[in-house]
Amino acid sequence: MPIEAISAIIGLVLSLLIFSYLIGDNPLFRSAIYLFIGVASGYAAVVIWHQVLLPRLFQPLLSADPNQLLPVVVPLGLSVSLLAKLSPRISWMGSFAMAMLVGVSAATALSGAVIGTLIPQSRAAMDAFASPTVGRLLQGIVMLAGTALTLAYFQFSATRAADGSIKRSVIFEFLAWIGRVFIAITFGVLFAGVYMAALSAMIERLSSMINFVKSFLGL
Amino acid sequence: MASLTCPNCGRDNPDFLDDCQFCQTALRREATLNIGENPTKKSTGELEGVLPDWLRDARQQARDSAEEEAAKEASKPKSQKEEPVDLLAGLAFQGASDEEEVPDWLSAINPVQDKKTAALSKPKTADEDQPSDFFAQFEQSNQRLVDTSPTIPLAGDLSQEEALPWMSGSTDESKKDELTDWFTQTSAQSSEPFPFDTGGTHSGGLDNFNPPNSQESFDVTQDRPAASQQPEDLSWLHELEKSTKGQPPATPSGDMGWMSNLDPSSGTQEDLSWLNNFGGTPTPASAPESQPEDLSWLNNLGGTPGTPLPGEPAAPPAPSNEDDLGWLNNLGGQPLTSEPARAPSSSSEEDLSWLNALGGTTPAPAENISSEPAKEGDLSWLNNLGGTPIEPASTQSSPSADDMDWLKNFSETPTPAPAEPAPPQEDLDWLNTLSGAPSSEPSSVQPASSSEDLTWLSNLGGTPAPASAEPSTPQEDMSWLDTLGGTPAAPSTESAAFEQPEVPDWLKSIGAQQQSAEPPQESPYSPRNTAPLSEDARQEMPDWLKSATEASKSTSLPPLGATWPTSEKPVEKRKLDEVPFRPKGLLTPYQTQNEPVADTGQAVPVDETVFSTPSDSTLANQDVDALFAVDMPDWLSQPAPAEGEASISQADIMPPGVGDDLSPVDLPSWVQAMRPVEAVINETSAVSADQTTEREGPLVGLRGVIPLAPIGSAQRPKAISLKLQATSEQQAGASLVEQIIASEATAQPLRISPFVASQRALRWGLAAVFITVLSVMIGMGTRLMPISAALPAEVSNASSTILSIPEGAPVLVVLDYEPSLAGEMEATSGPLLDQLVVLRHPSLTFVSTSPSGTGLVDRLLTNTRIGQPAPDGLGYQLDVQYFNAGYLPAGLAGVRGFTEAPQAVLPSVKEKLFSEFAAVILITDHAESGQMWIEQVTLAKQSDPALANQQFLVAASAQAGPMLRPYTSSKQVAGMVSGISDAARYEFVNNSRPGIVRSYWDAFGVGLFLAIISIVLGSLWSLFTGIRARRAEAEPG
Amino acid sequence: MRYLTAAIAIASGLIVLLGYFYPLDTLIQLRVMLTDWVVIIAAMAVLVGIANLVLVHTDKIRSGEKNSIYGVLLIVSLLFTFVAGLVFGPNSQFMRVAIDAIIVPVEASLMAILAVTLVYASIRLLRRRADVMTVIFLVVALLFLIAVMPTPIGPVPGDFLLLQFLQMFSDGGARGLLIGIALGALLTSLRVLIGIDRPYGGN
Amino acid sequence: MALVIVLIAALLLVAFTFLRRRSPAVLRPIQAFERLSHAIGLAVENGTRLHISLGRGNLFTARGGSALAGLAMLRRLAERTSVSDRPPIVTSGDASLSILSQDTLQAGYKAAGADDQYRATTGRLTGLTPFSYAAGAIPVTRDENVSANVLLGDFGAEAALLAEAADRENTHLIAASDNLSAQAILYAAAQDPLIGEELFASGAYVGAGPSHEASLHVQDVLRWLVILAILVGALLRMVGVGF
């Protein structure tokens, strides 16, 4: 039996086990997901090993070239220190590596947020009014209003009323309410997109299963 | 002499006794009037002759005041029938607290601590925490005794509002409990005007046991049940309170009131006039409004009106302790005129201030006492313990001297002569016994509590406020003992001077036997006996105290000596401890006449101590601090004595000879009439006869006084334990913790509600419909649903961008989606890749920022037929036409590095510069990945002009398309194919290649239709059921 | 120690940040070097995380917790896949089978389940939250699905117009949401770079 | 331009942090956080667990911000639940994030004086791919006596599986994600969804300190600066001014 057929049979069985979750949580579903978690984690570890650790850490260590060896000494020490995280008593030893990781991550996230989203999205909101036509202008106004009012909705600062209740001003609440309408519309569109993706996945799964059965039965 | 065996303790008793001298159990069934029994009428008119002169005078005075009472009677609508509820209810409560080994009246004091403490924050809560207070019955009658119309509405207010804790508690449903319910009735009664108040001559004693008709009650006295002892005590104390407050309505009514309840024709009213002298002076009828609230009816019990203590410190802390001590304020008779007015709503003062100025105060001080803040009241009562005479005291009319000499021993209360006829001096001996009575049973009912229970004792004997402010310290305990030991001396010497010759024979015999029976060293009045006293304390001991201690060594009053048990000292001291709490002891005069019970003898020394105060309590107060230097003896912290110990003390109390000397005489009718048996009958007529015998507490030995069934209500008072004084909130919290612990221990059963079941059915139904319908559609392989050839703008731009890519140019394909959406992404990207490969034959380099993405490359090329060999596919081969560069780690940083130096980040990539890629095709299922690549490529273009012509195309999942569309409008993305709907059109335009979407299209349409129908119908159903559920919740009940 | 870790985090973060904003060669080289180090650290963290996964389930099996037997399946499959991958490589036939037979089918099936669960959630939404926004949310979702729904007569008339109209609103809302999220991420990262938040065990 | 924004934000953050130490912030009520406090109290009282899932946010992407926000809230939740005899379980789909979650848990317990309560196995990596992570978190919801699930971080469509599992177990679900698709899913599937940037406000609403409150105020300031900039830029674009 070809390897593709074996893969198809296993995939068919596992797909059925997963679909059994629609009936309810059951041992078959559990078996499938635990098997899946193990295989997926193992595969990810293999990819990390072959794609990152081996070429970037261990191959330079094995090479006698000091130019390659020197840059990996520090990451090697930091990486090994991470193994201390497996024991709570000495986990502090791995904090240096995690501190560097968090620092770089924070800088990356910050730059990504500013350079990647804040500025480009703001520019895009402005560009909608460049060389405006009637339709484009209308679209730009609506999008601009949606952007501004959605941003306004998330205003966190509020004031404490005389009766002790915390609220925002009436005008602010009205603008925020309109912003919520934009948010609800956005979520509605996104939800529909997610559903189409899920439906596509179901169709793909059912299609592959049925096609395999057809081919297996010679239909 | 024949003896009767006690059915309770089985010990022999003289046959003339109705009650067991050891356990107070009724020996003769017929001699006991039990609850529910009707008393037999007996005429006691012939006893008139045996009455002492002072009693005849009192009767005469009663006659004089009878007309005045009758005049007032019309204005008193209140039915006296209801009055006795207090007493019997109090008794019922005592019996209810069956779990305690201490007398309930004592147990009722400790809860006051909780009540007071809580009252400081929220009085209402304090009410519910307050256990039924034994002294509340005094307060009840006390309010009734209060005269004048102003007090009538006040009483009403008190009953309805916060004045009395148990009253307010009774009005609060949330705080409702058995006790407060019962008290609600009493409070309601107290709010009613009293018939004989105005005149002030007919309110008091008999209010507590007021029979429906005096004749009947008169008869009742014939067979007095043992249970009626306590009511007697209480009623008598009411008179005492009135007199100490000096209220005209109070003092005379104290005795005349109850006499008025007797049948005037019985001619026995005047028998009780002697009681007018208790506490002495009648005062103007203006009763302070606060008096009905508190139990200060014994304020002047000590007798002497006092002056404000010089430099008396401010209120001490520790309110809980103050509660205990407050009622003893001025026990020595020191007034508290300097103390600020007490808040009427203070719930604790009612319970404890009843003994304020027990030493005796003038009416004005009494008012102040009743209105003083509890914190000061706790301590200042000591000031009067010595009964320091003050200005008002100097005004005591000498005419009363001969009559009131006995009162000096009792309390040096100023008693204007005209107000009350003086009783003959021979009364004084039994009054000494009367004053000592309290110490009798407390010894047998010593609270099994810590020294906290004994803290009230620490002030007995004139401890100044600051000293007693310290809650229940050993010093306090010792101080009261030291002073207590001393205080009796002065009166004892005084009484010895003039009492002995005039002691009645029956009392003399008692005194003689007691003197012979008990050595002076065993007198409880010796400080050495009561507690170790430091030498310093002795040095600073006031003269009167020293003299008292000296005198106590040599002098022992006949009644004292006769009745004092020879038991060990701790027992004696405990007896002393209980003095202020033993109102029963104050009633011994009646007992001495008809039942020589141990109470009589035991009570003597204590009341001597309390009531016969030395002349300079101020000195005593100053010396108390020094007295405090003594450590608390062990016995003070010992638990309550066992019942056995009580019986022992009682056995000692009653020497055999005493009974012989006392001839069994018929009880005077006026004494019998005082017993509120009728009240018992009235209140418990609906209750089955309860013949249980009290084995502990002040009612020890009494039978049938406490019906098992509730009195006056369908609820029984709650038993309050002295050992744990937890508020209801604390108890609720404790129960909650217990519940939580219990719930953790027990397995939680799986609750499958119908709603959950319907959810499951809905899930199953939806799953079955979707899988079945879609499977049928896919299995049939229909092509019924046409595809539009009109391309969206983004798709059209993507198609045209493909045409602009140079032939055979390297193209970077970012495979950035998860296996979960592999099917959709392959279908979505298929037309784009197919058109690219077919028209431009590029060299494809695949990278992925997802570890699992690298494994999807071959699958993508296979399913899109790009990797399949010709003729079915396009024949692209790995590492020839396409390269799987693998996983690009570090996310954004990796992408950034890849856009700067691709080969440096991924050595497997052949292109050294990012600009070598003619186009970048991003196949992604999540917008963040698209944003990351779009933004980094945009940044690279800004820094590298060579990237200006590089095209960026996106094949996105339907869930990511809407989020990436803004980038298409911003021209950062040249074209985009989003989801199956776009891919279907693109594929249709691309000659239906590779044909993946087409195979999904019909099923996709049916699936969307099912989803739309399901959501619409299901949402309407949810809306309907939700509205119906909300309406159901909104409906009352 | 906590100050040292904080200093390391702040210094490395600032270097990378400046490297992004100031394309100076020195800063770029430092940023690339730090990025390479962190990539290696993150890769090692994956192995540590997998070890933690194994330890967690081993502990559950040892303590006999409920359903711990499935942990055996997880550990065995994980170790088998990892060892086989180390031996044969990630592009080997064995790894392709692991992907095609297990990973993709299971993940796709889990995603497919959402086609039912999302409908179920939508049905119950009005029972859980019956307000104007919920109605708008559902109506827009339905209109969008209707607009893209294939029918036997072809696309729904006016589908383009409807989609563009809805996307006109959703694009504005999405942009506002993205900008807001960017602001939140900006401040969150700043707290870390300033040293206020130290999730690396520094506080 | 970007650096200016960062510097302004940093200065405002420091300034508001000191200001907030004097006067606490007044923030608009968010029902989800009120429910969260209630759920924490219930979990501590009835001896059940809190399941906190930090998502699969890669620390090397812009989604790392959501991961850091989840960790900031985890720290506070760890302190508040340290008195419980059943410590919370933290799941994540990223290896680095799982290690950080363990560090944060340990630090939280130490701050609460309950170091011995910490168990390394309470911070778990349940999977390295989105759905393997979700599949590994589903059994936690079912088997660990969980009374409330808190999803804070980067989630995708797999959030629907977690919401489904929570719904099946009738446990409370408070969810927030920086992924808009996940937000749309959670908006329909969760009892108390947190939308948009409310995820980054979680620390301030659970009392993580004045710096978190200051962050929200800085966000508000920047928010209006951005709105103003967009409006002005749009007007300039309309009149043909390019930049």
Side-chain angles (χ1 to χ4, degrees), chain C residues 38 52-53 107 124 128-129 180 191 196 203, chain D residues 60 75 102 107 125 129 167 187-188 211 215:
Chain C
V38 169
N52 170 262
L53 181 63
E107 281 211 18
R124 288 195 56 204
R128 189 183 296 118
R129 284 197 312 269
R191 284 203 307 270
I196 296 173
N203 49 350
Chain D
F60 300 113
R75 164 60 191 269
Q102 294 174 359
L125 173 70
T129 63
D167 183 67
Y187 190 81
S211 63
S215 297

PDB file of all heavy atoms in Angstrom, chain C residues 38 52-53 107 124 128-129 180 191 196 203, chain D residues 60 75 102 107 125 129 167 187-188 211 215:
ATOM      1  N   VAL C  38      18.822  36.114  20.300  1.00  0.00           N
ATOM      2  CA  VAL C  38      17.480  35.867  20.835  1.00  0.00           C
ATOM      3  C   VAL C  38      16.784  34.752  20.050  1.00  0.00           C
ATOM      4  O   VAL C  38      16.030  33.956  20.628  1.00  0.00           O
ATOM      5  CB  VAL C  38      16.652  37.166  20.786  1.00  0.00           C
ATOM      6  CG1 VAL C  38      15.204  36.880  21.071  1.00  0.00           C
ATOM      7  CG2 VAL C  38      17.201  38.158  21.779  1.00  0.00           C
ATOM      8  N   ASN C  52       8.996  20.815  29.318  1.00  0.00           N
ATOM      9  CA  ASN C  52       7.975  21.133  30.320  1.00  0.00           C
ATOM     10  C   ASN C  52       6.682  20.391  30.010  1.00  0.00           C
ATOM     11  O   ASN C  52       6.017  19.865  30.922  1.00  0.00           O
ATOM     12  CB  ASN C  52       7.725  22.637  30.330  1.00  0.00           C
ATOM     13  CG  ASN C  52       6.507  23.021  31.161  1.00  0.00           C
ATOM     14  OD1 ASN C  52       5.428  23.223  30.604  1.00  0.00           O
ATOM     15  ND2 ASN C  52       6.666  23.076  32.474  1.00  0.00           N
ATOM     16  N   LEU C  53       6.342  20.317  28.758  1.00  0.00           N
ATOM     17  CA  LEU C  53       5.135  19.591  28.366  1.00  0.00           C
ATOM     18  C   LEU C  53       5.229  18.127  28.779  1.00  0.00           C
ATOM     19  O   LEU C  53       4.274  17.543  29.323  1.00  0.00           O
ATOM     20  CB  LEU C  53       4.940  19.714  26.859  1.00  0.00           C
ATOM     21  CG  LEU C  53       3.718  19.040  26.239  1.00  0.00           C
ATOM     22  CD1 LEU C  53       2.434  19.629  26.771  1.00  0.00           C
ATOM     23  CD2 LEU C  53       3.764  19.155  24.719  1.00  0.00           C
ATOM     24  N   GLU C 107      -5.860  19.197  12.486  1.00  0.00           N
ATOM     25  CA  GLU C 107      -6.070  20.649  12.594  1.00  0.00           C
ATOM     26  C   GLU C 107      -7.217  21.101  11.703  1.00  0.00           C
ATOM     27  O   GLU C 107      -8.048  21.923  12.101  1.00  0.00           O
ATOM     28  CB  GLU C 107      -4.772  21.386  12.227  1.00  0.00           C
ATOM     29  CG  GLU C 107      -3.746  21.400  13.333  1.00  0.00           C
ATOM     30  CD  GLU C 107      -2.881  22.651  13.294  1.00  0.00           C
ATOM     31  OE1 GLU C 107      -3.276  23.634  12.650  1.00  0.00           O
ATOM     32  OE2 GLU C 107      -1.812  22.647  13.913  1.00  0.00           O
ATOM     33  N   ARG C 124     -27.057  31.235  20.031  1.00  0.00           N
ATOM     34  CA  ARG C 124     -27.225  31.516  21.468  1.00  0.00           C
ATOM     35  C   ARG C 124     -26.869  32.954  21.836  1.00  0.00           C
ATOM     36  O   ARG C 124     -27.073  33.367  22.975  1.00  0.00           O
ATOM     37  CB  ARG C 124     -26.358  30.560  22.287  1.00  0.00           C
ATOM     38  CG  ARG C 124     -26.880  29.136  22.293  1.00  0.00           C
ATOM     39  CD  ARG C 124     -26.199  28.357  23.387  1.00  0.00           C
ATOM     40  NE  ARG C 124     -26.390  29.021  24.682  1.00  0.00           N
ATOM     41  CZ  ARG C 124     -25.554  28.851  25.705  1.00  0.00           C
ATOM     42  NH1 ARG C 124     -24.483  28.105  25.567  1.00  0.00           N
ATOM     43  NH2 ARG C 124     -25.777  29.464  26.857  1.00  0.00           N
ATOM     44  N   ARG C 128     -27.777  35.272  25.148  1.00  0.00           N
ATOM     45  CA  ARG C 128     -26.746  35.689  26.109  1.00  0.00           C
ATOM     46  C   ARG C 128     -26.683  37.202  26.225  1.00  0.00           C
ATOM     47  O   ARG C 128     -26.575  37.739  27.330  1.00  0.00           O
ATOM     48  CB  ARG C 128     -25.387  35.139  25.661  1.00  0.00           C
ATOM     49  CG  ARG C 128     -24.280  35.310  26.682  1.00  0.00           C
ATOM     50  CD  ARG C 128     -22.952  34.803  26.149  1.00  0.00           C
ATOM     51  NE  ARG C 128     -22.984  33.365  25.892  1.00  0.00           N
ATOM     52  CZ  ARG C 128     -22.808  32.810  24.700  1.00  0.00           C
ATOM     53  NH1 ARG C 128     -22.613  33.574  23.645  1.00  0.00           N
ATOM     54  NH2 ARG C 128     -22.830  31.515  24.556  1.00  0.00           N
ATOM     55  N   ARG C 129     -26.755  37.874  25.114  1.00  0.00           N
ATOM     56  CA  ARG C 129     -26.692  39.340  25.114  1.00  0.00           C
ATOM     57  C   ARG C 129     -27.659  39.859  24.072  1.00  0.00           C
ATOM     58  O   ARG C 129     -27.364  39.845  22.877  1.00  0.00           O
ATOM     59  CB  ARG C 129     -25.274  39.822  24.765  1.00  0.00           C
ATOM     60  CG  ARG C 129     -24.259  39.701  25.843  1.00  0.00           C
ATOM     61  CD  ARG C 129     -23.048  40.583  25.527  1.00  0.00           C
ATOM     62  NE  ARG C 129     -22.594  40.386  24.146  1.00  0.00           N
ATOM     63  CZ  ARG C 129     -21.673  39.503  23.785  1.00  0.00           C
ATOM     64  NH1 ARG C 129     -21.136  38.739  24.697  1.00  0.00           N
ATOM     65  NH2 ARG C 129     -21.290  39.391  22.533  1.00  0.00           N
ATOM     66  N   GLY C 180      -5.831  51.309  17.808  1.00  0.00           N
ATOM     67  CA  GLY C 180      -5.958  51.202  19.258  1.00  0.00           C
ATOM     68  C   GLY C 180      -5.092  50.093  19.817  1.00  0.00           C
ATOM     69  O   GLY C 180      -4.428  50.260  20.861  1.00  0.00           O
ATOM     70  N   ARG C 191       6.382  49.892  28.993  1.00  0.00           N
ATOM     71  CA  ARG C 191       6.499  49.535  30.419  1.00  0.00           C
ATOM     72  C   ARG C 191       7.628  48.535  30.627  1.00  0.00           C
ATOM     73  O   ARG C 191       8.324  48.564  31.637  1.00  0.00           O
ATOM     74  CB  ARG C 191       5.179  48.968  30.923  1.00  0.00           C
ATOM     75  CG  ARG C 191       4.105  49.998  31.161  1.00  0.00           C
ATOM     76  CD  ARG C 191       3.075  49.492  32.160  1.00  0.00           C
ATOM     77  NE  ARG C 191       2.543  48.188  31.779  1.00  0.00           N
ATOM     78  CZ  ARG C 191       1.464  48.018  31.009  1.00  0.00           C
ATOM     79  NH1 ARG C 191       0.815  49.069  30.555  1.00  0.00           N
ATOM     80  NH2 ARG C 191       1.036  46.808  30.714  1.00  0.00           N
ATOM     81  N   ILE C 196       9.258  48.858  34.234  1.00  0.00           N
ATOM     82  CA  ILE C 196       8.130  48.786  35.174  1.00  0.00           C
ATOM     83  C   ILE C 196       7.594  47.356  35.245  1.00  0.00           C
ATOM     84  O   ILE C 196       7.400  46.804  36.321  1.00  0.00           O
ATOM     85  CB  ILE C 196       7.026  49.760  34.726  1.00  0.00           C
ATOM     86  CG1 ILE C 196       7.535  51.197  34.800  1.00  0.00           C
ATOM     87  CG2 ILE C 196       5.782  49.588  35.591  1.00  0.00           C
ATOM     88  CD1 ILE C 196       6.571  52.225  34.228  1.00  0.00           C
ATOM     89  N   ASN C 203      10.686  40.648  39.124  1.00  0.00           N
ATOM     90  CA  ASN C 203       9.962  41.235  40.246  1.00  0.00           C
ATOM     91  C   ASN C 203       9.133  40.157  40.914  1.00  0.00           C
ATOM     92  O   ASN C 203       8.244  39.622  40.349  1.00  0.00           O
ATOM     93  CB  ASN C 203       9.061  42.374  39.757  1.00  0.00           C
ATOM     94  CG  ASN C 203       8.224  41.982  38.555  1.00  0.00           C
ATOM     95  OD1 ASN C 203       8.444  40.934  37.967  1.00  0.00           O
ATOM     96  ND2 ASN C 203       7.283  42.820  38.187  1.00  0.00           N
TER      97      ASN C 203
ATOM     98  N   PHE D  60       8.290  37.614  19.129  1.00  0.00           N
ATOM     99  CA  PHE D  60       9.077  38.323  18.118  1.00  0.00           C
ATOM    100  C   PHE D  60       8.194  38.996  17.085  1.00  0.00           C
ATOM    101  O   PHE D  60       8.675  39.409  16.041  1.00  0.00           O
ATOM    102  CB  PHE D  60      10.037  37.352  17.436  1.00  0.00           C
ATOM    103  CG  PHE D  60      10.990  36.732  18.391  1.00  0.00           C
ATOM    104  CD1 PHE D  60      10.928  35.393  18.660  1.00  0.00           C
ATOM    105  CD2 PHE D  60      11.933  37.500  19.042  1.00  0.00           C
ATOM    106  CE1 PHE D  60      11.807  34.819  19.554  1.00  0.00           C
ATOM    107  CE2 PHE D  60      12.806  36.929  19.933  1.00  0.00           C
ATOM    108  CZ  PHE D  60      12.742  35.584  20.203  1.00  0.00           C
ATOM    109  N   ARG D  75       0.478  38.283  36.534  1.00  0.00           N
ATOM    110  CA  ARG D  75       1.195  38.576  37.769  1.00  0.00           C
ATOM    111  C   ARG D  75       0.213  38.979  38.865  1.00  0.00           C
ATOM    112  O   ARG D  75       0.269  38.504  39.998  1.00  0.00           O
ATOM    113  CB  ARG D  75       2.198  39.694  37.522  1.00  0.00           C
ATOM    114  CG  ARG D  75       2.752  40.362  38.767  1.00  0.00           C
ATOM    115  CD  ARG D  75       3.481  39.356  39.653  1.00  0.00           C
ATOM    116  NE  ARG D  75       3.801  39.924  40.958  1.00  0.00           N
ATOM    117  CZ  ARG D  75       4.937  40.552  41.211  1.00  0.00           C
ATOM    118  NH1 ARG D  75       5.844  40.682  40.263  1.00  0.00           N
ATOM    119  NH2 ARG D  75       5.172  41.028  42.410  1.00  0.00           N
ATOM    120  N   GLN D 102       5.668  30.936  33.835  1.00  0.00           N
ATOM    121  CA  GLN D 102       6.151  30.310  35.072  1.00  0.00           C
ATOM    122  C   GLN D 102       6.889  31.323  35.946  1.00  0.00           C
ATOM    123  O   GLN D 102       6.688  31.372  37.166  1.00  0.00           O
ATOM    124  CB  GLN D 102       7.062  29.135  34.735  1.00  0.00           C
ATOM    125  CG  GLN D 102       6.345  27.983  34.045  1.00  0.00           C
ATOM    126  CD  GLN D 102       7.312  26.910  33.588  1.00  0.00           C
ATOM    127  OE1 GLN D 102       8.524  27.029  33.768  1.00  0.00           O
ATOM    128  NE2 GLN D 102       6.781  25.855  32.978  1.00  0.00           N
ATOM    129  N   ALA D 107       6.921  34.751  40.648  1.00  0.00           N
ATOM    130  CA  ALA D 107       7.097  36.095  41.217  1.00  0.00           C
ATOM    131  C   ALA D 107       5.837  36.552  41.930  1.00  0.00           C
ATOM    132  O   ALA D 107       5.893  37.170  42.994  1.00  0.00           O
ATOM    133  CB  ALA D 107       7.472  37.071  40.110  1.00  0.00           C
ATOM    134  N   LEU D 125       3.009  24.586  28.677  1.00  0.00           N
ATOM    135  CA  LEU D 125       2.956  24.727  27.224  1.00  0.00           C
ATOM    136  C   LEU D 125       2.094  23.578  26.715  1.00  0.00           C
ATOM    137  O   LEU D 125       2.427  22.407  26.920  1.00  0.00           O
ATOM    138  CB  LEU D 125       4.355  24.636  26.634  1.00  0.00           C
ATOM    139  CG  LEU D 125       4.441  24.589  25.113  1.00  0.00           C
ATOM    140  CD1 LEU D 125       4.064  25.934  24.514  1.00  0.00           C
ATOM    141  CD2 LEU D 125       5.850  24.192  24.668  1.00  0.00           C
ATOM    142  N   THR D 129       1.557  24.638  17.989  1.00  0.00           N
ATOM    143  CA  THR D 129       0.780  25.183  16.869  1.00  0.00           C
ATOM    144  C   THR D 129      -0.552  25.661  17.429  1.00  0.00           C
ATOM    145  O   THR D 129      -0.993  25.171  18.482  1.00  0.00           O
ATOM    146  CB  THR D 129       0.538  24.114  15.797  1.00  0.00           C
ATOM    147  OG1 THR D 129      -0.250  23.065  16.367  1.00  0.00           O
ATOM    148  CG2 THR D 129       1.861  23.542  15.300  1.00  0.00           C
ATOM    149  N   ASP D 167     -17.977  26.681  27.401  1.00  0.00           N
ATOM    150  CA  ASP D 167     -19.441  26.661  27.388  1.00  0.00           C
ATOM    151  C   ASP D 167     -19.970  25.274  27.735  1.00  0.00           C
ATOM    152  O   ASP D 167     -20.957  25.127  28.457  1.00  0.00           O
ATOM    153  CB  ASP D 167     -19.939  27.088  26.012  1.00  0.00           C
ATOM    154  CG  ASP D 167     -21.453  27.165  25.947  1.00  0.00           C
ATOM    155  OD1 ASP D 167     -22.018  28.049  26.614  1.00  0.00           O
ATOM    156  OD2 ASP D 167     -22.074  26.323  25.266  1.00  0.00           O
ATOM    157  N   TYR D 187     -16.607  37.636  20.484  1.00  0.00           N
ATOM    158  CA  TYR D 187     -17.761  38.524  20.666  1.00  0.00           C
ATOM    159  C   TYR D 187     -19.060  37.730  20.610  1.00  0.00           C
ATOM    160  O   TYR D 187     -20.041  38.060  21.281  1.00  0.00           O
ATOM    161  CB  TYR D 187     -17.759  39.598  19.574  1.00  0.00           C
ATOM    162  CG  TYR D 187     -18.759  40.705  19.784  1.00  0.00           C
ATOM    163  CD1 TYR D 187     -18.473  41.757  20.637  1.00  0.00           C
ATOM    164  CD2 TYR D 187     -19.989  40.699  19.132  1.00  0.00           C
ATOM    165  CE1 TYR D 187     -19.385  42.774  20.843  1.00  0.00           C
ATOM    166  CE2 TYR D 187     -20.908  41.719  19.323  1.00  0.00           C
ATOM    167  CZ  TYR D 187     -20.596  42.760  20.184  1.00  0.00           C
ATOM    168  OH  TYR D 187     -21.508  43.774  20.383  1.00  0.00           O
ATOM    169  N   ALA D 188     -19.010  36.646  19.821  1.00  0.00           N
ATOM    170  CA  ALA D 188     -20.213  35.821  19.703  1.00  0.00           C
ATOM    171  C   ALA D 188     -20.221  34.658  20.685  1.00  0.00           C
ATOM    172  O   ALA D 188     -21.290  34.187  21.079  1.00  0.00           O
ATOM    173  CB  ALA D 188     -20.318  35.276  18.280  1.00  0.00           C
ATOM    174  N   SER D 211       1.324  52.367  37.292  1.00  0.00           N
ATOM    175  CA  SER D 211       1.908  52.456  35.949  1.00  0.00           C
ATOM    176  C   SER D 211       0.924  51.959  34.893  1.00  0.00           C
ATOM    177  O   SER D 211       0.883  52.484  33.778  1.00  0.00           O
ATOM    178  CB  SER D 211       3.189  51.622  35.887  1.00  0.00           C
ATOM    179  OG  SER D 211       2.887  50.261  36.101  1.00  0.00           O
ATOM    180  N   SER D 215      -0.658  54.067  31.921  1.00  0.00           N
ATOM    181  CA  SER D 215      -0.606  53.631  30.522  1.00  0.00           C
ATOM    182  C   SER D 215      -1.922  53.937  29.814  1.00  0.00           C
ATOM    183  O   SER D 215      -1.926  54.380  28.665  1.00  0.00           O
ATOM    184  CB  SER D 215      -0.315  52.132  30.461  1.00  0.00           C
ATOM    185  OG  SER D 215       0.944  51.841  31.005  1.00  0.00           O
TER     186      SER D 215
END
